[in-house]
Amino acid sequence: MLIRYGYDITLACAEPTAMVSLLEVHEDRKADLRAPENLYFTPDIASTTYHDIYGNRCRRFVAPAGELRLWGDATIEDDETLDPEVWDAPEIPVQNLPDDCLVYLLGSRYCETDRLSQFAWDRFGNLAPGWSRVQAICDFVHDHIRFDYMQARATRSAFEALNEGVGVCRDFAHLAVALCRCLNIPARYVNGHLGDIGVPVADPMDFSAWIEVYLGGRWYTFDPRNNMPRIGRIVISRGRDAADIPLINSFGPHVLNSFRVWTYEVSEA
């Protein structure tokens, strides 16, 4: 199966402003691209790339005064399989976790483990450890938070999402990540593309957020927002939470003038 994905974003700055974008496909999916993925700027400006401490590909540039358009488009090959469900995948004791998993047990900007620990243990501590406990967390988050684009707030944390009961996909992800970490289960935040392949079209196309949880010696995808296996996830970046992997990090004020995202299946022809 082939999936076409991309974005068209226009920003406006009053003066030249340094920026870093995380908009391009993650390194572990680059081999699936049918052609090199490119990011185009209008007006044309110079940019460089580097990899951050989480392995994400980041692009540095200076947006000029006035409008800057960022446009990217690519086609990727996908195996057309649903997210795996491995119900016998066990939790790994902290002392046996790989070193690079430990950072995903700690509190972070949007995932306040210190404020959520008691709630997590009271609600999920008596459940059988493993896949079923992580799924119970996702079930709770899915049922507890009401999805509402109009209630989106860039500063909402996991603790606030629990108390307010409303949010968008990043809030679902932050709360599920935080609750897993409270129970000593490594969990990380993921940004990417997720189209409506195999499901009814319900929402406008957008970037999506979901989570990955370390069970049985590997990372598995969970999605508390949709709470069902899906086809065609395209990972852009992974981090502790949204603060680590903003789509665009601006080192100065800017205005978002337009924003369009697409993700859909295309034929071989």
Side-chain angles (χ1 to χ4, degrees), residues 7-13 19 23 39-43 61 63-72 207 248 254-262:
Y7 48 87
D8 189 352
I9 302 169
T10 303
L11 309 171
C13 300
M19 296 187 178
L23 292 166
L39 167 59
Y40 301 95
F41 294 99
T42 305
F61 56 93
E67 280 201 341
L68 176 67
R69 181 186 181 196
L70 297 81
W71 182 87
F207 292 105
I248 297 176
H254 73 276
V255 177
L256 177 65
N257 281 352
S258 67
F259 179 87
R260 186 167 65 94
V261 179
W262 53 90

Side-chain angles (χ1 to χ4, degrees), residues 141-156:
V141 173
H142 177 79
D143 294 339
H144 182 74
I145 296 179
R146 175 175 57 85
F147 187 88
D148 188 345
Y149 271 120
M150 301 306 295
Q151 297 294 321
R153 189 173 76 244
T155 59
R156 181 182 289 117

Side-chain angles (χ1 to χ4, degrees), residues 10-249:
T10 303
L11 309 171
C13 300
E15 58 186 51
T17 303
M19 296 187 178
V20 175
S21 67
L22 287 85
L23 292 166
E24 297 155 79
V25 70
H26 197 273
E27 294 291 337
D28 62 12
R29 292 299 307 274
K30 288 189 72 172
D32 299 324
L33 290 170
R34 281 297 184 94
E37 181 186 43
N38 292 301
L39 167 59
Y40 301 95
F41 294 99
T42 305
D44 189 26
I45 59 172
S47 67
T48 59
T49 61
Y50 70 95
H51 290 88
D52 66 14
I53 60 174
Y54 304 103
N56 305 306
R57 189 182 188 205
C58 308
R59 186 171 293 273
R60 295 183 66 175
F61 56 93
V62 177
E67 280 201 341
L68 176 67
R69 181 186 181 196
L70 297 81
W71 182 87
D73 186 72
T75 300
I76 196 167
E77 188 171 351
D78 191 83
D79 61 11
E80 204 171 348
T81 59
L82 292 164
D83 302 324
E85 293 183 291
V86 185
W87 287 91
D88 60 352
E91 294 176 22
I92 306 298
V94 172
Q95 63 269 27
N96 296 332
L97 286 169
D99 295 341
D100 58 6
C101 283
L102 296 180
V103 68
Y104 297 110
L105 292 178
L106 306 178
S108 55
R109 164 66 180 85
Y110 291 107
C111 300
E112 314 101 312
T113 52
D114 54 342
R115 304 186 75 181
L116 289 164
S117 181
Q118 190 63 55
F119 173 84
W121 281 103
D122 290 346
R123 181 90 188 200
F124 306 104
N126 292 326
L127 300 182
W131 188 283
S132 61
R133 178 151 65 171
V134 175
Q135 186 57 58
I137 290 171
C138 291
D139 291 342
F140 167 79
V141 173
H142 177 79
D143 294 339
H144 182 74
I145 296 179
R146 175 175 57 85
F147 187 88
D148 188 345
Y149 271 120
M150 301 306 295
Q151 297 294 321
R153 189 173 76 244
T155 59
R156 181 182 289 117
S157 69
F159 182 77
E160 290 169 336
L162 176 67
N163 288 319
E164 295 173 20
V166 67
V168 293
C169 58
R170 62 178 269 157
D171 302 306
F172 287 76
H174 284 148
L175 181 54
V177 162
L179 294 174
C180 286
R181 291 179 187 170
C182 288
L183 298 169
N184 298 324
I185 307 169
R188 61 192 184 188
Y189 180 95
V190 184
N191 266 336
H193 295 273
L194 179 62
D196 295 306
I197 298 169
V199 298
V201 177
D203 300 308
M205 289 187 182
D206 198 352
F207 292 105
S208 295
W210 59 89
I211 74 173
E212 291 177 347
V213 178
Y214 194 81
L215 296 169
R218 58 159 288 187
W219 292 97
Y220 287 100
T221 295
F222 288 83
D223 187 347
R225 155 71 174 107
N226 296 291
N227 208 32
M228 61 182 294
R230 294 285 292 272
I231 296 170
R233 295 184 193 273
I234 304 171
V235 173
I236 295 174
S237 54
R238 300 181 175 97
R240 294 172 301 171
D241 61 28
D244 286 336
I245 51 173
L247 296 169
I248 297 176
N249 198 350

